[in-house]
Amino acid sequence: MLPTSPISRRFAGLLAIAGAVAAFATNAAAQAKLDSPLHLVVGYAPGGATDRVARIVGDKLGAKLGVAVVVDNKPGAGGRLAAQQVKITPANQNVLMLANPAVMIVAPLVFKDNNYDAERDFVPVSHVNDYNFALSVSPTLPVRELSHLLAWMRANPAQANVGVPATGSLPHFFGLMMGEKAKVQTQVIGYRGSAPLLNDLIGGQVPIAVDTEDVVLPQHSAGKLRVLALSGAKRSPFAPDIPTFKEAGLDLSATGWNTFFAPTSMPKAKVEQLALAIREVMQDPDTQRKFKDSGMTPVVSTPAQTAAMLKAYRAQWAPVVQKSGYQP
């Protein structure tokens, strides 16, 4: 037998390591097959933005996991009912909750009888999408830039009403944040959803509105209202002609999101399996196209990255919500 050199032995060792890694990956993929259906719980009725996200992800997640994926809509109490139910899920059940900041950031700050702790009762699994807030004005209002609107609001404080789709929503608190940053008085008016808000904005019954970009951009494109600024740190790919707040002269940026959470009862290994499967789904070009077609920015994230995002988000929004004095 010919003697082997140190380089040959090192190369053989690297091959062995590579083989072990490949075997580990194969085993991990095999272990990702669940033994029962996975339920994706959404705290809102079918058809809304959070529900659409759950169905886009769920359509491909089943193939990854080898089981049926069922979207369970459990509307009630602004999404809090779903959180209250998911937190007590037994460890042997496959359940994830898809939630937004209203449920996981705002509600714990304003409801004394919340019956769940967003940080203690849930484990972040995967942050899957972001969306911007849009500042819109009625076509009857003679302003076309943010600076003009702020000047109008200062000159007409009694008329400077800002409509939002719901009191206690992120658009509500973003409207307050905008007013504080611009040093203008804002009177926030809550509606029962985006549809009546848009009707009043287009008709001139309310002069200003804050809602999510996926709701208002089609109306902006149709010329039924004017979007003056979007809340992202950079221009939205869905409306590259509309400036950010910073570009329009107001140092302000914020986004909303949808994130999957597991109850703390779920074993860590299963959380990691589900996180990996969701991450692979979110990397799929077809999934990303569907998110963009819905006016939402897809995000590929690990549990650690998701936890870091949530920590930063709480630090940004908790002072705004608390300072507002909002009471449900």
Side-chain angles (χ1 to χ4, degrees):
M1 179 181 294
L2 294 175
T4 58
S5 69
I7 293 177
S8 298
R9 289 194 296 271
R10 186 178 306 163
F11 181 68
L14 290 173
L15 286 176
I17 293 172
V21 170
F24 177 82
T26 300
N27 291 336
Q31 292 169 2
K33 305 296 183 183
L34 302 184
D35 55 1
S36 62
L38 171 66
H39 291 257
L40 304 181
V41 176
V42 176
Y44 304 96
T50 304
D51 176 71
R52 291 200 306 272
V53 169
R55 294 179 189 278
I56 291 172
V57 176
D59 283 346
K60 292 184 181 292
L61 195 55
K64 292 284 183 185
L65 298 171
V67 297
V69 174
V70 181
V71 176
D72 285 341
N73 296 93
K74 297 184 180 296
R80 292 180 291 120
L81 180 62
Q84 292 163 3
Q85 293 180 5
V86 170
K87 86 163 192 177
I88 59 175
T89 301
N92 64 346
Q93 293 187 16
N94 299 322
V95 173
L96 294 179
M97 177 177 67
L98 183 65
N100 58 28
V103 177
M104 303 304 283
I105 304 294
V106 176
L109 293 170
V110 300
F111 287 96
K112 295 179 180 179
D113 57 346
N114 211 37
N115 294 326
Y116 66 89
D117 186 303
E119 296 182 74
R120 185 186 63 224
D121 295 331
F122 299 93
V123 178
V125 178
S126 186
H127 170 201
V128 291
N129 77 283
D130 287 329
Y131 52 85
N132 290 324
F133 305 108
L135 175 67
S136 306
V137 295
S138 169
T140 63
L141 198 65
V143 299
R144 295 189 174 274
E145 295 181 9
L146 177 61
S147 60
H148 299 161
L149 174 64
L150 297 179
W152 180 87
M153 293 175 73
R154 295 185 183 104
N156 301 274
Q159 302 175 50
N161 298 322
V162 179
V164 297
T167 55
S169 63
L170 261 290
H172 175 173
F173 294 111
F174 184 81
L176 295 177
M177 188 188 299
M178 179 192 72
E180 181 177 359
K181 181 70 69 172
K183 295 181 172 56
V184 299
Q185 183 177 350
T186 53
Q187 179 64 39
V188 175
I189 300 175
Y191 280 74
R192 292 179 178 270
S194 295
L197 169 60
L198 290 181
N199 285 338
D200 276 8
L201 182 68
I202 294 169
Q205 284 78 32
V206 65
I208 309 162
V210 175
D211 207 333
T212 56
E213 64 181 331
D214 61 304
V215 169
V216 301
L217 286 180
Q219 306 300 326
H220 170 84
S221 299
K224 295 182 178 181
L225 54 80
R226 288 192 294 275
V227 178
L228 302 186
L230 293 171
S231 68
K234 59 183 180 180
R235 292 205 179 198
S236 169
F238 310 116
D241 59 318
I242 299 175
T244 65
F245 276 85
K246 288 187 177 182
E247 290 174 329
L250 195 61
D251 188 14
L252 180 65
S253 67
T255 57
W257 42 259
N258 282 292
T259 291
F260 282 104
F261 294 86
T264 52
S265 61
M266 183 175 286
K268 183 178 179 180
K270 185 175 290 185
V271 171
E272 292 174 349
Q273 289 174 2
L274 292 173
L276 176 60
I278 293 171
R279 193 157 67 249
E280 290 176 347
V281 167
M282 294 307 301
Q283 290 170 331
D284 180 77
D286 184 58
T287 301
Q288 297 203 357
R289 177 188 60 78
K290 289 178 178 177
F291 269 87
K292 292 172 183 176
D293 287 348
S294 296
M296 296 177 286
T297 302
V299 174
V300 180
S301 184
T302 66
Q305 290 168 334
T306 301
M309 179 278 291
L310 292 169
K311 182 178 180 180
Y313 204 89
R314 288 189 180 99
Q316 178 187 22
W317 285 91
V320 178
V321 175
Q322 292 166 337
K323 187 175 181 178
S324 74
Y326 171 72
Q327 293 293 324

